[in-house]
Amino acid sequence: MAIEIVKTENGYKIQKLDNEKLRILQLTDVHIGGGFCSRKKDARAIDAVKKVITKANPDFVIVTGDISYPFPVIATKNNQKSAKMFADTLKKLNVNWA
């Protein structure tokens, strides 16, 4: 999964070093709460992310929509905790993402 990200005059270009087709996976609206009341839901969401990435084996993951779900009644007001949970998961999977 060797890729390089090259800055161009119009932005950035992602390409594989071996000239094979680039496999991109899009994840959207993961909605991790990061709070005490959302622990089970968060675990299911993280588990689903792990399974999808492992099965798809992408070169690059693009994340759109909401990673966190900072609703104070069932989650938390702190977006950083849920965003860190997500980022740590992708880091452990050793996947390039944005």
Side-chain angles (χ1 to χ4, degrees):
M1 285 199 319
I3 65 169
E4 68 178 342
I5 301 171
V6 180
K7 185 170 175 48
T8 68
E9 64 184 47
N10 297 323
Y12 291 89
K13 179 172 84 170
I14 302 169
Q15 61 190 26
K16 288 188 75 163
L17 297 177
D18 59 8
N19 291 324
E20 292 292 321
K21 289 184 178 180
L22 182 66
R23 294 174 49 93
I24 298 174
L25 172 68
Q26 178 188 7
L27 297 175
T28 190
D29 296 304
V30 180
H31 291 280
I32 299 168
F36 178 76
C37 294
S38 65
R39 286 185 358 203
K40 285 184 182 180
K41 182 200 87 56
D42 294 347
R44 286 193 309 267
I46 292 292
D47 187 52
V49 166
K50 288 178 187 175
K51 286 179 181 176
V52 168
I53 290 174
T54 301
K55 179 81 173 172
N57 193 26
D59 298 304
F60 196 80
V61 176
I62 296 177
V63 183
T64 59
D66 301 323
I67 293 173
S68 63
Y69 187 65
F71 187 67
V73 175
I74 60 170
T76 179
K77 292 180 183 179
N78 184 353
N79 288 352
Q80 291 179 340
K81 183 177 179 182
S82 50
K84 184 173 178 358
M85 288 170 63
F86 183 81
D88 288 348
T89 299
L90 270 62
K91 184 176 183 178
K92 288 176 188 172
L93 292 171
N94 195 31
V95 65
N96 297 297
W97 68 284

